Amino acid sequence: MLPGEWSIALLVLLLPTGWGSKQYQVEHGRSGANYLDLEGSLAWLNSDTDQDLLQGPGAAADPDHSRQLHQLHHPHIITQSSTSSTFLERRAREKRCRGTMGGWCGGYEQQQPVPLRPAPRGNRNCPRDCSGVGNCNYDTGTCDCPAGSQGEDCGTVLLRPCTTNFRNGGTEPAGHIDDDGRDLRLTDPGYTESRCTGICDPVTARCFCDGKYRRVNPPKGSPPGTPAPVRGRPLGNHVCQVSDDGKGNRLEWGQVPWEQIYGPDGWCNSDTPVITCGCLFDGFSGALCDEVTETMCANQCSGHGECDSGFCKCHEGWYGTDCARKAAGQPMEPGLHEEGRRPWLAEAVRVAPEAAAAALAAGGEVAGAAAATVSQPGLKQARRRPLIYVYDLPPAYNARMLQYRNDKGLCTWRSYGSGNRTEVSAWTYGLEVLFHEMMLQSDHRTFDPEAADYFYVPMYSSCFIFPLHCYADGPWWHVPSGPRVMHVTNMMLEIRDWIRKHFPYWDRRGGRDHIWLMTHDEGACYAPTEIYGSSIFLTHWGRTDLHHESNTAFTPDNYTQEYVHPEQPNGWMHLIQGHPCYTPGKDLVIPALKLPHHFRQSPLVFHPPRERNILLYLRGDVGKHRLPNYSRGIRQRLYQLWKDEDWRANYNVMIGDGGDIPGDYSEHLASSKFCLVVPGDGWSPRLEDAVLHGCIPVVIMDGVRAVWEDQLEFERCSIRVGEQELEGLPQQLAVVPQRVLEDMQRRLRKVWHRYAYVSHPILASEMNEVLHQNVRIWRQQMEDNKQDPALVQRITDQLKQRAVFPAHDDAFHTVLQWLYWRIPETR
């Protein structure tokens, strides 16, 4: 045991009997939660000993030998001699690397840090100062244009009007609204998400009220960036469209009677409306959506810009996606989150160390951890590789997509509510925005591409796929309509060509040091072959077969359907053929985003442990209303077996959707021995659900690598079952010896933290709240069972000391550690 862990062990030996009984019964939700007794619970917490610290395939690898091989292949990175590490340092490093394999963990820890240098500052001006609408990128001399503007100087209007039909070609978007934004063909059939029975914002295709609280759009012909004189009350594109025109004519695509929207007591006319439509749009809050709030942008524009629902309009002289840099020769003033201005931004903004160093070198001021990094002598004047250059792509590929979304809960993982309080949401593909933001804030970010080990390409392809595609007439890559994934393929090639036009770094190594993140259902299966063949792909879908076809049951995402158009006469499928979806060694299968509150009842985050009395668990879509190829038919077959063979009564197996299995999801997972990991339309986050609750994963997906399967001793803490071996599954699991199960659980506890993203400041705060809440639950349960007050206090104090998440080894930092190890392969 390590120092600090002895106290809990001794308390176990000194405990009086029980928490009350062998299992402490607590009513929770719809079902009873069977907690372990106090002695068993504390023993569980203390069971992760160091006896196998130097045993097993991953830990047994000699870190010094791995480091020597790494330096042999990559001599320009100087590593520290093993003699410079103390025994305790090596032991701590070995403990951190338990459960890993391949040598990637120890090498990162032992590298010689590189000096921290101030970020370079560009000085190339832009045409017409980007018309005062966009931002000038002083590195490239090009303009970054927000929604509503386009062209080399952002001086050309870019519309996205509400519509029910799309153009056949060309660049002019189809729409049928008048100059005020009202639908000219209100009673026409057909539906898109942009159809609006109020006032359409022709820039974003968002729908607002008509009537008393109507929106007033800028006059027709106004230059780009002209604000709306009256922003109006949101109507919500897919929530509160009227189902009749108030004259007896039915609108089949509406949801709410006309009277409830436009009657005297309707949402759009009354201060006390009979219904509320919700404040779906970024920047709107309060009971009647009249409260103006902060909107969400990556790194909140570093405090040096105004956020417009995803696009940072940088303050004078500042530039970049997150306004983190200042043009050469200009003074660097404090950000909006400093000196009491907009204090709510402080929890989201992190200044990358190079940017902080540049500010200090220029005599400016920077607050927070980044300032400490460069201003306190001897504290941290250097950092570890890899150094990563994050491209400031044109906003069309990322920020503008956030501006187009018609629900602030889509695409991203956080927003601002009433009083500018941060709200987090479990958006399925939320990692796309979070990972970009974490890269922008990271100590590993460099603004000097010549010093970079890697180049990160921040495109928001999942956001385009949903909700943007076909909601209005645009954006498209490059042809109207067609498969959603086809547009992503075209977008990636367009991004690659933009990079090659403005930077020499793609051609320098053929893209081998470029990183792409693809979070949608089938990951990199439809990445362009000429990009996939060299670049690194981070994905949730580890399908490895070379000759593959799309397996999604959602037709618009089927990447094996050809689509020919006059603007793409040769189709698109030839662009993606000849590569697998995932290549071990080159790519990574990384965890999907699971917010801390999602696994709040897990004993791994110090919730009192439960008896694991559910043998096997899966709750979710089991294909009741899906095409047969959904989940390769696996979920459907398991569900049918569960019903036909009465697995619940015979083995206490739970398989079904919420109607079949009501109750708290986190509680169920924390009460299960084995948890099913099966596909959906492609990847599914069931592995993360299992691991984060300490439930042994049972993986059923042939030819598909699971998250971290190639980086961790995955086979020692999981079970694989062939897709054709589902019959008799409960019988096989029921006879797994208890000692084997406990060994797998112990091994899982060594690596579970690598499946959660916690190092972002907002998520770190949420995790701390979960941990503290769980410690309070421990205390309350001990007090309810009349435990000795002194003992309760001692145990609570020990739990508070131990209830710390190892954020330095979370999912994001695991990616960084692996990238460092792989640097030689990119050269």
Side-chain angles (χ1 to χ4, degrees):
M1 295 180 186
L2 295 180
E5 294 183 342
W6 285 103
S7 301
I8 289 269
L10 290 174
L11 285 171
V12 172
L13 298 176
L14 298 173
L15 277 175
T17 328
W19 231 183
S21 63
K22 187 60 179 174
Q23 278 92 36
Y24 176 47
Q25 304 291 327
V26 177
E27 286 301 317
H28 186 96
R30 299 186 185 179
S31 61
N34 297 328
Y35 290 99
L36 300 181
D37 67 340
L38 183 56
E39 182 176 353
S41 296
L42 292 175
W44 186 93
L45 280 177
N46 206 45
S47 65
D48 189 14
T49 67
D50 295 332
Q51 62 183 353
D52 60 345
L53 192 63
L54 301 178
Q55 300 173 8
D62 181 355
D64 291 338
H65 179 64
S66 298
R67 179 168 32 80
Q68 291 165 7
L69 289 176
H70 188 268
Q71 189 170 358
L72 177 64
H73 291 288
H74 199 180
H76 74 279
I77 292 183
I78 302 173
T79 57
Q80 296 173 340
S81 167
S82 61
T83 58
S84 67
S85 299
T86 68
F87 171 77
L88 289 179
E89 287 173 340
R90 292 198 300 273
R91 188 169 176 81
R93 183 167 60 247
E94 289 160 356
K95 183 175 181 180
R96 286 181 63 183
C97 294
R98 285 184 300 173
T100 68
M101 62 182 187
W104 54 269
C105 179
Y108 172 86
E109 295 301 327
Q110 296 187 75
Q111 64 171 295
Q112 180 69 36
V114 295
L116 176 64
R117 296 184 176 88
R121 301 168 63 185
N123 59 4
R124 299 177 63 181
N125 292 322
C126 293
R128 297 185 59 242
D129 196 27
C130 303
S131 304
V133 178
N135 299 320
C136 178
N137 186 318
Y138 293 101
D139 289 340
T140 61
T142 58
C143 290
D144 294 331
C145 306
S149 65
Q150 60 184 334
E152 66 174 12
D153 62 354
C154 301
T156 304
V157 172
L158 173 63
L159 296 180
R160 190 176 185 247
C162 299
T163 185
T164 190
N165 60 280
F166 308 134
R167 62 187 183 270
N168 292 320
T171 59
E172 290 299 316
H176 41 85
I177 57 175
D178 65 17
D179 291 348
D180 291 323
R182 296 185 180 92
D183 195 328
L184 293 169
R185 303 206 302 259
L186 192 64
T187 58
D188 282 5
Y191 176 73
T192 68
E193 281 285 333
S194 69
R195 289 214 72 174
C196 177
T197 56
I199 303 297
C200 174
D201 173 5
V203 169
T204 64
R206 291 176 179 166
C207 186
F208 294 82
C209 280
D210 204 344
K212 180 179 178 180
Y213 291 106
R214 65 181 288 248
R215 175 183 176 84
V216 177
N217 287 322
K220 186 177 181 179
S222 298
T226 303
V230 180
R231 70 176 197 159
R233 186 176 288 178
L235 198 51
N237 293 64
H238 51 285
V239 175
C240 275
Q241 302 307 307
V242 298
S243 55
D244 64 275
D245 65 356
K247 302 175 184 178
N249 298 309
R250 178 167 175 74
L251 306 181
E252 294 184 357
W253 47 274
Q255 302 94 22
V256 181
W258 185 90
E259 188 68 21
Q260 294 183 4
I261 301 297
Y262 291 119
D265 296 320
W267 170 249
C268 291
N269 284 323
S270 175
D271 290 332
T272 56
V274 293
I275 66 166
T276 57
C277 290
C279 309
L280 296 183
F281 303 155
D282 225 359
F284 292 80
S285 195
L288 298 174
C289 305
D290 54 359
E291 179 184 347
V292 180
T293 63
E294 193 77 34
T295 60
M296 185 272 162
C297 281
N299 202 23
Q300 291 309 123
C301 310
S302 303
H304 293 297
E306 303 298 326
C307 177
D308 180 8
S309 297
F311 177 81
C312 287
K313 179 61 180 79
C314 298
H315 295 159
E316 181 66 29
W318 293 89
Y319 68 105
T321 298
D322 63 340
C323 307
R325 303 169 69 194
K326 193 74 178 285
Q330 297 192 25
M332 304 179 76
E333 67 277 6
L336 293 172
H337 57 297
E338 301 169 288
E339 300 179 345
R341 296 183 294 165
R342 301 194 196 176
W344 57 86
L345 298 180
E347 68 173 350
V349 174
R350 291 295 181 273
V351 180
E354 276 192 17
L360 291 170
E365 301 178 32
V366 175
T373 297
V374 296
S375 63
Q376 297 184 26
L379 178 62
K380 196 174 181 182
Q381 296 294 333
R383 54 184 172 163
R384 288 191 174 106
R385 291 184 180 274
L387 301 183
I388 302 174
Y389 184 85
V390 183
Y391 283 117
D392 291 314
L393 295 181
Y397 305 120
N398 44 49
R400 194 186 294 169
M401 295 190 193
L402 299 183
Q403 294 185 284
Y404 284 155
R405 73 196 196 279
N406 57 22
D407 187 326
K408 63 183 178 182
L410 302 179
C411 292
T412 187
W413 62 282
R414 65 176 180 87
S415 59
Y416 289 93
S418 182
N420 288 314
R421 292 189 301 272
T422 296
E423 299 176 343
V424 296
S425 56
W427 176 240
T428 305
Y429 310 103
L431 184 63
E432 191 168 62
V433 174
L434 171 63
F435 205 89
H436 184 198
E437 187 165 56
M438 294 176 82
M439 280 287 194
L440 294 174
Q441 297 178 344
S442 174
D443 288 358
H444 294 266
R445 182 185 184 185
T446 180
F447 297 97
D448 182 1
E450 290 293 336
D453 300 306
Y454 291 102
F455 297 81
Y456 184 67
V457 186
M459 65 168 185
Y460 294 173
S461 58
S462 289
C463 185
F464 168 79
I465 286 175
F466 184 84
L468 269 61
H469 180 266
C470 283
Y471 273 29
D473 189 12
W476 309 114
W477 282 275
H478 301 284
V479 301
S481 195
R484 303 192 301 184
V485 291
M486 173 193 71
H487 293 267
V488 175
T489 302
N490 290 334
M491 182 197 312
M492 294 177 70
L493 289 169
E494 190 172 289
I495 291 172
R496 190 275 315 271
D497 291 345
W498 181 90
I499 291 172
R500 295 180 72 180
K501 178 179 178 181
H502 295 283
F503 297 91
Y505 304 108
W506 179 275
D507 291 327
R508 182 176 65 179
R509 297 194 177 104
R512 289 191 302 277
D513 50 6
H514 283 58
I515 303 168
W516 304 73
L517 173 67
M518 297 186 73
T519 62
H520 205 64
D521 295 343
E522 295 189 285
C525 294
Y526 46 88
T529 304
E530 55 189 89
I531 294 176
Y532 180 87
S534 58
S535 290
I536 297 165
F537 280 81
L538 310 179
T539 175
H540 303 323
W541 186 230
R543 186 173 178 179
T544 58
D545 47 322
L546 178 61
H547 304 290
H548 52 88
E549 295 183 351
S550 178
N551 196 241
T552 182
F554 192 73
T555 304
D557 289 346
N558 186 329
Y559 62 82
T560 45
Q561 58 176 318
E562 187 61 277
Y563 189 80
V564 177
H565 187 275
E567 295 183 23
Q568 195 161 313
N570 296 322
W572 73 287
M573 284 182 54
H574 67 281
L575 300 172
I576 65 173
Q577 292 173 347
H579 70 79
C581 307
Y582 165 74
T583 301
K586 180 179 78 71
D587 307 322
L588 274 183
V589 185
I590 65 175
L593 176 60
K594 293 291 181 178
L595 301 175
H597 70 262
H598 179 82
F599 50 99
R600 67 195 180 284
Q601 297 202 47
S602 169
L604 298 169
V605 289
F606 289 82
H607 192 283
R610 293 182 170 85
E611 177 193 10
R612 293 191 180 269
N613 52 17
I614 301 172
L615 177 64
L616 181 64
Y617 185 76
L618 171 67
R619 190 175 82 181
D621 191 335
V622 288
K624 294 178 181 179
H625 310 290
R626 292 283 206 146
L627 294 175
N629 62 309
Y630 172 71
S631 187
R632 302 182 176 185
I634 297 170
R635 295 191 189 209
Q636 298 93 313
R637 285 155 46 208
L638 285 167
Y639 181 64
Q640 196 63 44
L641 286 167
W642 179 74
K643 291 195 303 179
D644 292 347
E645 300 187 8
D646 204 359
W647 282 357
R648 182 166 191 169
N650 293 326
Y651 300 99
N652 200 25
V653 169
M654 294 187 180
I655 297 175
D657 57 24
D660 301 298
I661 310 172
D664 189 280
Y665 187 57
S666 184
E667 177 189 319
H668 288 167
L669 289 162
S671 303
S672 300
K673 294 179 180 177
F674 300 98
C675 292
L676 284 162
V677 177
V678 291
D681 278 310
W683 69 270
S684 168
R686 302 300 167 180
L687 177 66
E688 292 87 333
D689 289 343
V691 171
L692 294 174
H693 285 85
C695 182
I696 300 303
V698 178
V699 182
I700 308 175
M701 45 186 188
D702 296 353
V704 180
R705 302 292 178 90
V707 175
W708 300 139
E709 185 166 359
D710 295 316
Q711 287 72 45
L712 305 179
E713 295 175 333
F714 188 76
E715 77 285 353
R716 305 184 75 178
C717 56
S718 66
I719 294 174
R720 268 200 176 267
V721 176
E723 293 179 11
Q724 303 305 316
E725 301 172 357
L726 305 185
E727 288 77 6
L729 182 58
Q731 296 93 313
Q732 297 177 50
L733 296 176
V735 298
V736 173
Q738 183 65 21
R739 61 177 179 79
V740 174
L741 177 61
E742 291 176 356
D743 181 68
M744 296 174 76
Q745 290 171 337
R746 279 193 298 270
R747 294 182 182 281
L748 197 62
R749 291 203 292 272
K750 297 172 185 175
V751 297
W752 74 274
H753 51 279
R754 296 188 184 274
Y755 288 81
Y757 298 89
V758 179
S759 51
H760 188 284
I762 291 174
L763 296 181
S765 177
E766 183 180 349
M767 174 57 79
N768 285 334
E769 178 56 36
V770 168
L771 291 168
H772 294 159
Q773 175 64 26
N774 285 343
V775 171
R776 290 193 290 269
I777 292 173
W778 271 84
R779 183 180 190 115
Q780 186 64 51
Q781 290 190 1
M782 289 186 288
E783 291 175 345
D784 289 347
N785 281 273
K786 313 301 182 185
Q787 297 288 345
D788 176 67
L791 177 65
V792 170
Q793 187 61 52
R794 287 199 301 273
I795 293 177
T796 301
D797 290 343
Q798 285 294 314
L799 288 170
K800 286 180 179 178
Q801 291 180 21
R802 294 187 61 181
V804 178
F805 185 91
H808 54 282
D809 288 327
D810 75 337
F812 181 72
H813 285 90
T814 299
V815 173
L816 293 172
Q817 292 164 20
W818 181 88
L819 285 172
Y820 170 77
W821 174 75
R822 198 182 178 278
I823 289 174
E825 305 304 320
T826 68
R827 297 299 184 258

